């Protein structure tokens, strides 16, 4: 019952381009092109470009940074990559104008949907700026052709922010009747009907909403949101309930997926209607235990929505399917957003934000726990040391924090605020908050020492989470300080003191521990696979391990087909899901597997070319191997499991002479009637010839020849003589596919020959060898996999290039030589060739020539050699320079910062003006103060890096006229 | 738990216990029955593992169980070592109405016997027997189940109201079979129902009797550092938090 997964080996470090896309939360490209309604011309050809630019928006400080054209998006990030940024679909750009300003200034005015105007000054050389403009024009044109411009209006109407802003407008101006009409369009979550968790008054919903309205009016919204520092701060004090779902979508970038794939969610559900799978069954089990305390999940409405979203995800991503904890996430986000929105957000969480967390190996989870532990080690050495001493594992508490985004760990309203920040600021938020949770142990040394085991740690954390709503400073004389909750402080301190934990830190830590984690997962599954074998047969565990290794390698090279879902019409098969998933390999993979273990199942060429001598190994191909595959497939599945392979090998590796003869007989007795037909005798000879194909000398050839004539002689002699119709004996006649000789006869014939006898006595079993599989040689086309561990692969590629290179030279100087290594290798000297008699049937001749054919394979013509030479040189260079790319994180500065944090004391954060914290009054002028205080607390100094002159220029630009 | 630190002075002994078994066999329900003597249909799902404690009297001693109720989904399997390391006891649960769940239970037992604390006390619990018992009024059905019964109704969904006479036919795992296996593998054996409470407390008291309490007490009195306390584990480890099942064991652990 083993599933053997090599998916961890396929990991590729993201390229720089992918990192940029990740940063701007852009959907992966194939999805975008895969839209069936648009022919996928265009986007592929459109070029990407980045350029230095200064962004000016009225009401904000101008900001220098970089502008990225990544069709169909335009994106911007300030130099510090965090204070200012935006990602907007090109189709929301309504007009682009070159602005006339001072000489030498190249500025564009972009009018966006939502009546917004932004100005970007391209601070690059003129030709570069011109190029950027022309690329931008092409990209815009293509969007126009795709009809995307028209899609904006309808899409935007599904967003609550539109309603919010227009309601507010109508409050100021004359009331418009269209309000109700638009209101009915927007998408929302279960909370609209079943109430949102938490007390709206306590959450200060009204103040927050007001602040957001004013921000969204001037900085765009949904598709066109511009993110300035105020945006992040407003997120940090908590999103208002009604806006929350949409902001999650916008901040995480799942809105772009929904925009690019209209109707996809419904389509997936429609296409898979009625389908059941392991995932759907697992989902059913968990539907009623996903936030059961929330009223919507006590009703069919909520349960049905949850079911559809989880099922749709599992249909779209069959490899991941469904993982416990996803039910909690989905249930949580469905409170704030519609099913379709939740579906895409779940996709972004599982795919991009928490990669590998919910996969079948959960490697992402394990990796991030390892990363978290290492961060605690650096940032909170005292705690780490104590835990180490009393043998407490952080993960017992922290695992659910990461897996379900704190939702089940702390009161829901607080968890949602962490999630707000998570979507806005990325996964590092989880690490920061988790570190700070752990850090609370530091302030209270007594509590830390109380922790003597895992259970104690959990208890303390629970106690702390339960108290998050309490005042952080209950004894403070200042009433406003008293009003600060522990939760508020938790967030503030997390972001302030653990600012050293950045996206880059996490990326590099993940890189550092990935191979370690992959290794431990793989060795864990190896041990389980061996432990769970029904029988080890006569092998010991180490030998079974070697068989596993060969199997694993084969799977790496030729992956078995994905476990496919049954077609939707054949549903309700209870048995199909009862069976545990088990990795089974097909014939193609089996060939690779066998070539690892069995000498005649591979072709080994000893190549010498004057520079070196090496052994090239190829997987052999012959009917005998296919036959063996089906012989071992005792359950007729067309695929072999680990157990099948172990049992199969057991059947051949421990045999003595008689058993080997019988085994070989049975292998060729296709219909298992205890007889070989004439055809089968011929096939058996072919098999022998295949095994002997590289043996030196003609001894084996002679043996097979004698075997065959003897077999037919005895066979004919033993046929029962039939009475002819006239009473006289007839010559026995028999069809070539009729039962012909039995095991006893076969044995006799084999034993009549000395060479065959010794072959079956010892040599044959010895062609199966369990040896350590050199895992590093896994051929893989991807470069730079898994940093440290897999850097060998890069050098493996290099080796191939080198081999090719030296071979070519060897050929040109006449020193290139290939010898085939024999499978048995008993006879090392050439014997006198014996007369070949008439033993080769036409089919045999074919197979014999096949073997000799491959010898000519590699002798490419010499004339090309020189021209390839120079090119190979280049290749070689390129790959050597790319070698030391497995960089490790620069530890020293990080350590310094971490130590600094470790010694920092937790100071209550400053409150500027102390006032009484009265109940909020809706019409009071200072009603926003409470929120604003909190907002202010999150203000971080950020340097726009602008000179006075640049500021002046920016002012000019805002008022500049378009050219002509 | 404010009294956690003072544990060594009173006579209470702390025992770490882990629950393992296929998803939905009723692990969480068993714990809930034991800890708060109730049965609820809808509960929190188990992410990673749930942690609960419960005291248990045994003669003059009080045992304090620290219970780790693990997630049952197959993919969480690789996280399990994190929870069963250092455990002095384990309850491996299967569902008597689902044959495959016993197979899974067997693999857990194998894993525990090879990877966990060598002195670990393991109990096998066949849960949901309320589903295969005749309703309390009519006790006409013979108490020993016929093995043949398992054959046909295998696909029937175990329903809440299955107890009416037909009960026994839902059974897919005969008591004798599981009991024989438990005997052979050296496990305590129980058939239980979290729903009715049958057999639940017994699991925990029998485990309590079998655990070498004096040994635990002796070693925990030995010193402030309790790292070595749990049933002869080697103290201290280099990797710190480690999800690898070898974490707490010596080199020989790699032999499966
Ligand atoms: N009839 C019956 N149902 C049970 C019993 N124990 C658990 N269940 C039900 O089985 C399902 C799974 O239980 P749960 O404790 O969550 O299983 P876990 O996944 O192993 O923790 C729930 O619907 C329970 O109500 C039992 O003893 N009898
Ligand atoms: Mg559970």
């Amino acid at each position: 019952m083993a599933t053997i997964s090599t998916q961890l080996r396929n990991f590729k470090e993201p390229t720089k381009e992918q990192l940029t896309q990740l940063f701007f939360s852009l959907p992966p490209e194939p999805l975008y092109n895969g839209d069936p309604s648009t022919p996928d011309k265009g986007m592929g050809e459109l070029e990407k470009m980045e350029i230095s630019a200064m962004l000016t928006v009225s009401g904000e400080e101008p900001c220098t940074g970089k502008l990225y054209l990544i069709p169909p998006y335009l994106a911007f990030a300030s130099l510090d990559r965090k204070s200012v940024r935006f990602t907007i679909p090109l189709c929301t750009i309504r007009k682009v104008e070159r602005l006339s300003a001072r000489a030498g200034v190249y500025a564009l005015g972009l009018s966006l949907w939502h009546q917004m105007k932004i100005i970007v000054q391209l601070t690059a050389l003129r030709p570069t700026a011109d190029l950027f403009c022309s690329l931008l024009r092409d990209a815009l044109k293509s969007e126009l052709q795709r009809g995307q411009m028209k899609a904006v209006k309808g899409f935007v109407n599904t967003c609550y922010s539109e309603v919010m802003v227009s309601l507010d407008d109508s409050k100021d101006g004359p009331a418009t009747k269209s309000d109700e009409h638009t209101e009915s369009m927007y998408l929302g979550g279960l909370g609209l009907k079943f109430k949102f968790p938490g007390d709206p008054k306590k959450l200060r919903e009204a103040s927050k909403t007001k602040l957001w309205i004013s921000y969204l009016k001037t900085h765009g919204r949904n598709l066109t949101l511009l993110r300035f520092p105020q945006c992040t701060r407003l997120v940090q004090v908590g999103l208002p309930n009604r806006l929350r779902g949409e902001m999650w979508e916008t901040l995480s970038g799942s809105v772009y997926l929904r925009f690019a794939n209209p109707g996809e969610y419904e389509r997936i559900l429609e296409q898979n209607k009625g389908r059941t799978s392991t995932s759907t069954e697992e989902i059913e089990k968990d539907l009623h235990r996903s936030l059961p305390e929330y009223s919507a999940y006590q009703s069919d409405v909520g349960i049905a929505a949850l079911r559809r979203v989880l099922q749709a995800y599992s249909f779209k991503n069959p490899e991941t399917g469904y993982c416990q904890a996803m039910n909690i996430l989905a249930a949580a986000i469905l409170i704030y957003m519609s099913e379709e929105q939740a579906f895409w957000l779940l996709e972004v969480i599982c795919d991009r934000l928490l990669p590998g967390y919910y996969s079948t190996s959960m490697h992402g989870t394990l990796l991030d726990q390892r990363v978290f532990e290492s961060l605690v080690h650096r940032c909170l050495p005292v705690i780490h040391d104590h835990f180490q001493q009393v043998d407490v594992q952080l993960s017992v508490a922290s695992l659910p924090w990461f897996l379900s985004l704190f939702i089940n760990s702390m009161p829901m309203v607080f968890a949602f605020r962490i999630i707000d920040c998570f979507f806005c600021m990325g996964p590092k938020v989880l690490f920061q908050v988790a570190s700070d949770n752990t850090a609370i142990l530091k302030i209270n040394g007594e509590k830390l020492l109380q922790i003597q085991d895992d259970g104690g740690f959990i208890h303390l954390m629970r106690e702390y989470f339960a108290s998050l709503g309490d005042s952080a400073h209950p004894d403070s004389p200042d009433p406003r300080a008293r009003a600060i909750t522990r939760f508020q402080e938790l967030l503030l301190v997390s972001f302030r003191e653990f600012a050293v934990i950045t996206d880059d830190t996490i990326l590099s830590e993940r890189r550092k521990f990935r191979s370690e984690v992959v290794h431990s997962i793989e060795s864990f599954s190896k041990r389980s696979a061996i432990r769970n074998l029904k029988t080890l047969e006569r092998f010991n565990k180490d030998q079974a391990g070697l068989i596993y290794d060969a199997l694993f390698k084969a799977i790496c090279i030729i992956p078995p087909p994905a476990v496919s879902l049954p077609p939707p019409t054949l549903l309700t098969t209870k048995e199909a899901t009862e069976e545990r998933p088990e990795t089974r390999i097909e014939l193609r993979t089996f060939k690779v597997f066998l070539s690892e273990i069995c000498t005649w199942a591979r072709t080994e060429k000893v190549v010498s070319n004057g520079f070196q001598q090496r052994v090239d190994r190829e997987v052999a191909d012959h009917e005998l191997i296919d036959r063996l595959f089906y012989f071992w497939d005792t359950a007729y599945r067309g695929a072999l499991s680990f157990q099948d392979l172990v049992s199969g090998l057991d059947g051949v590796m421990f045999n003595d002479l008689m058993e080997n003869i019988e085994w070989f007989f049975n292998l060729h007795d296709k219909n298992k009637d205890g007889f070989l037909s004439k055809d089968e005798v011929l096939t058996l000879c072919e098999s022998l010839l295949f095994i002997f194909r590289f043996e030196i000398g003609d001894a084996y050839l002679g043996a097979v020849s004698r075997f065959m004539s003897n077999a037919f002689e005895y066979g004919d002699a033993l046929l029962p003589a039939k009475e002819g119709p006239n009473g006289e004996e007839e010559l026995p006649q028999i069809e070539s596919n009729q039962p012909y000789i039995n095991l006893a006869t076969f044995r006799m014939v084999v034993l009549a020959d000395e060479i065959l006898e010794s072959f079956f006595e010892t040599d044959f079993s010895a062609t199966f060898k369990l040896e350590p599989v050199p895992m590093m040689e896994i051929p893989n086309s991807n470069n730079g996999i898994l940093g440290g561990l897999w850097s060998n692969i890069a050098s493996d590629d290099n080796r191939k290039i080198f081999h090719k290179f030296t071979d070519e030279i060897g050929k040109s100087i006449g020193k290139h030589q290939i010898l085939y290594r024999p499978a048995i290798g008993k006879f090392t000297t050439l014997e006198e060739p014996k007369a070949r008699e008439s033993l080769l049937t036409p089919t045999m001749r074919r197979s014999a020539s096949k073997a000799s054919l491959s010898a000519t394979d590699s002798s490419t013509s010499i004339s090309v050699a020189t021209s390839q030479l120079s090119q190979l040189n280049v290749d070689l260079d390129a790959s050597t320079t790319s070698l030391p790319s497995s960089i490790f994180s620069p530890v020293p500065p990080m350590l310094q910062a971490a130590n600094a944090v470790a010694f920092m004391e937790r100071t209550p954060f400053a409150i500027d003006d102390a006032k009484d914290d009265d109940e909020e009054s809706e019409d009071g002028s200072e009603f926003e103060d409470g929120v604003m205080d909190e907002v202010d607390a999150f203000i971080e100094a950020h340097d726009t890096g602008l000179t006075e002159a640049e500021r002046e220029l920016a002012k000019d630009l805002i008022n500049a006229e378009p050219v002509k | 738990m404010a009294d956690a630190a003072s544990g060594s002075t009173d006579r209470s002994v702390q025992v770490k216990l882990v629950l393992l078994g296929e998803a939905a066999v009723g692990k969480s329900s068993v714990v809930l029955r034991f800890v708060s003597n109730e049965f609820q249909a809808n509960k929190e799902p188990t992410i990673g593992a749930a942690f609960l404690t419960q005291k248990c009297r045994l003669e003059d001693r009080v045992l304090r169980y620290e219970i780790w109720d693990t997630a049952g989904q197959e993919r969480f399997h690789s996280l399990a070592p994190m929870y069963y390391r250092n455990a002095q006891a384990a309850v491996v649960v299967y569902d008597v109405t689902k044959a495959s769940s016993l197979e899974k239970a067997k693999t857990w037992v194998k894993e525990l016997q090879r990877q966990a604390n060598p002195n670990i006390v393991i109990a096998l619990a066949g849960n949901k027997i309320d589903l295969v018992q005749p309703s309390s009024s009519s006790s006409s059905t013979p108490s020993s189940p016929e093995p043949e019964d398992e054959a046909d109704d295998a696909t029937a969904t175990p329903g809440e109201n299955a107890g009416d006479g037909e009960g026994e036919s839902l059974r897919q795992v005969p008591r004798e079979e599981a009991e024989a296996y438990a005997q052979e593998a050296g496990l305590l054996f129980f058939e239980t129902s979290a729903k009715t409470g049958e057999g639940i407390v017994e699991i925990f008291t029998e485990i309590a009797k079998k655990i070498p309490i004096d040994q635990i007490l002796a070693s925990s009195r030995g010193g402030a550092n309790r790292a070595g306390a749990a049933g002869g584990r080697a103290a201290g480890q280099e990797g710190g938090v480690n999800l690898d099942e070898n974490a707490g064991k010596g080199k020989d652990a790699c032999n499966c």
Side-chain angles (χ1 to χ4, degrees), chain B residues 32-236:
Chain B
L32 192 70
R33 171 61 76 186
F34 175 58
V35 171
S36 32
N37 197 22
E38 56 184 5
F39 180 79
Q40 279 173 19
N42 299 337
K43 300 172 305 297
E44 300 267 294
T46 317
I47 302 301
F51 175 73
L52 300 98
T53 54
Q54 172 71 331
K55 291 208 170 117
C56 179
R57 285 201 70 88
L58 183 74
E59 288 147 27
D60 60 331
R61 290 227 176 77
V62 177
L63 260 77
R64 185 166 169 276
Y65 276 116
E66 293 207 323
I67 302 170
W68 295 87
D69 166 28
T70 61
Q73 205 187 8
E74 184 65 31
R75 66 187 75 186
F76 281 80
H77 190 135
S78 62
L79 301 176
M82 186 162 99
Y83 301 107
Y84 65 61
R85 64 195 268 285
N86 303 349
Q88 286 113 350
V91 179
V92 179
V93 186
Y94 68 94
D95 175 347
V96 294
T97 68
K98 198 168 173 225
S100 67
S101 69
L102 179 64
E103 292 311 307
K104 180 69 197 177
K106 287 179 183 173
T107 71
W108 278 121
V109 170
K110 266 196 210 173
E111 180 166 337
L112 286 172
Q113 289 177 334
R114 294 200 167 98
Q115 312 271 26
N117 180 343
N119 301 323
I120 192 166
V121 176
I122 305 176
L124 182 68
N127 191 36
K128 305 199 188 175
I129 44 162
D130 56 288
L131 295 176
V132 303
Q133 281 166 338
S135 48
S136 50
S137 53
S138 66
S139 55
S140 55
T141 320
S143 59
S144 62
E146 297 293 312
E148 291 83 10
D149 280 352
E150 67 177 308
D152 275 330
D153 293 319
T155 49
T157 324
E160 293 288 313
N161 52 354
D164 332 334
E166 295 273 346
E168 197 55 40
S169 61
L170 278 174
R171 188 187 272 272
Q172 286 193 3
V173 181
R175 183 186 173 104
E176 288 74 13
E177 181 194 321
E179 200 164 16
Y181 162 72
Q183 179 121 39
E184 179 194 43
L187 320 172
L188 295 169
F189 176 73
F190 305 90
E191 284 199 328
T192 61
S193 165
K195 194 172 178 185
T196 65
E198 182 177 346
I200 303 289
V201 178
E202 284 83 341
I203 306 178
F204 293 88
T205 43
E206 289 305 310
I207 287 176
K209 284 183 199 158
K210 217 179 156 189
I211 279 189
I213 292 173
D214 295 314
Q215 206 177 309
I216 297 173
L217 271 179
S219 53
S220 62
R221 256 188 240 112
N225 182 355
R226 305 169 11 136
R233 256 192 70 258

Side-chain angles (χ1 to χ4, degrees), chain A residues 282 288-289 320 322 324 358 360 366 373 388 391 393-394 453 455 459 462 524 527 531 580, chain B residues 14 22 43 45 51 73 75 79 82 85-86 110-111 114-115 233 237 241-243 245-246:
Chain A
E282 288 177 340
H288 290 277
R289 26 182 206 183
T320 303
Y322 167 72
Q324 283 180 333
Y358 309 104
T360 45
L366 293 167
E373 192 226 326
Q388 187 119 346
D391 193 22
Q393 290 194 104
L394 272 173
D453 56 22
H459 266 301
R462 266 189 208 162
F524 181 87
R527 271 172 301 172
R531 196 168 46 230
R580 263 163 221 297
Chain B
Q14 197 157 301
E22 199 172 76
K43 300 172 305 297
F51 175 73
Q73 205 187 8
R75 66 187 75 186
L79 301 176
M82 186 162 99
R85 64 195 268 285
N86 303 349
K110 266 196 210 173
E111 180 166 337
R114 294 200 167 98
Q115 312 271 26
R233 256 192 70 258
Q237 50 175 294
V241 176
N242 193 343
L243 301 181
E245 58 189 284
N246 276 339

Side-chain angles (χ1 to χ4, degrees), chain A residues 722-964:
Chain A
K722 276 189 196 147
E723 292 284 307
N726 307 332
E728 82 260 26
E729 277 198 7
E730 271 192 355
L731 255 183
Q733 283 293 327
I734 187 161
E735 291 297 318
S736 63
N737 60 359
Q738 291 303 300
Y740 184 58
I741 62 173
N742 64 11
L743 176 61
T745 317
F746 176 71
R747 200 181 285 142
M748 194 165 64
V749 176
V750 167
L751 294 178
D753 190 282
E754 211 177 293
I755 289 180
L756 285 185
E757 182 185 344
S758 87
F759 168 70
F760 281 114
E761 185 156 28
T762 49
D763 302 344
F764 181 61
S765 296
T767 59
F768 292 87
K769 289 194 188 92
L770 297 181
E771 284 164 347
V773 175
M775 273 323 231
M776 293 314 176
E777 279 180 19
I778 294 169
N780 205 320
S781 50
N782 315 323
N783 264 331
I785 299 154
L786 291 183
L789 182 66
W790 295 103
S791 62
N792 303 290
I793 285 174
S795 66
D796 210 46
D797 282 347
N798 286 349
R799 221 180 302 146
K800 270 188 207 139
I801 293 168
F802 179 72
H803 291 338
K804 212 166 159 189
F805 173 72
T806 50
D807 282 357
E808 294 303 331
I809 295 180
K811 275 175 209 159
S812 61
I813 58 175
K815 288 214 168 161
H816 190 245
Q817 191 193 10
I818 298 176
L819 289 176
Y820 286 91
R821 190 179 269 183
I824 301 169
K826 197 163 203 174
F827 303 104
T828 45
T829 51
L830 287 168
E831 299 199 345
E832 271 299 289
K834 289 178 185 157
R836 288 201 177 189
E837 302 164 42
S838 58
L839 98 150
L840 287 179
T841 65
T843 43
M844 290 166 161
R845 236 171 260 136
R846 230 183 298 129
S847 81
S849 62
K850 210 191 268 170
S852 58
L853 235 172
S854 56
T856 56
D857 249 337
S858 51
S859 55
T860 15
S861 66
I862 295 164
S863 58
V864 254
T866 38
S867 69
Q868 278 179 351
L869 250 174
S870 55
Q871 204 186 333
L872 279 170
N873 243 332
V874 177
D875 282 357
L876 204 58
D877 270 348
S879 47
T880 32
T881 46
S882 71
L883 249 183
S885 61
S886 52
I887 321 149
F888 285 85
S889 60
V891 180
M894 166 76 197
L895 267 181
Q896 278 172 8
N899 285 337
V901 168
F903 288 109
M904 241 196 273
E905 273 297 300
R906 211 174 237 268
T907 47
F909 62 101
I911 289 103
D912 299 329
D913 54 339
K915 276 193 214 159
D916 275 347
D917 190 25
D918 292 338
E919 278 278 81
E920 276 178 41
S921 58
E922 270 303 312
D923 27 11
S925 60
E926 78 274 47
F927 71 93
E928 285 161 13
D929 281 2
V931 181
M932 283 314 291
D933 269 357
E934 226 182 308
V935 171
D936 288 344
F938 283 104
I939 290 179
E940 288 173 67
H942 80 271
D943 186 6
T944 52
L946 290 179
T947 63
E948 212 30 60
E950 281 170 326
R951 255 176 249 273
E952 280 299 306
L953 173 60
K955 254 184 231 154
D956 277 10
L957 283 174
I958 286 184
N959 305 316
E961 290 292 311
V963 181
K964 268 198 286 139

Side-chain angles (χ1 to χ4, degrees), chain A residues 323-388:
Chain A
C323 176
Q324 283 180 333
M326 280 166 60
N327 60 328
I328 313 265
L329 294 186
I333 61 181
L334 273 170
I335 299 176
Y336 297 98
M337 57 198 344
S338 69
E339 286 175 41
E340 189 191 7
Q341 292 173 302
F343 170 74
W344 291 113
L345 185 59
L346 197 60
E347 172 98 3
V348 166
I349 297 173
C350 299
D351 243 42
R352 178 154 19 99
L353 295 172
L354 305 176
Y357 269 43
Y358 309 104
S359 72
T360 45
S361 64
M362 301 190 72
H363 62 273
T365 304
L366 293 167
L367 178 56
D368 275 5
Q369 290 303 304
R370 186 70 189 83
V371 168
F372 175 53
E373 192 226 326
S374 139
L375 292 176
V376 169
H377 185 42
R378 287 177 183 190
C379 300
L380 305 161
V382 181
I383 293 175
H384 184 268
D385 290 352
H386 177 72
F387 277 18
Q388 187 119 346

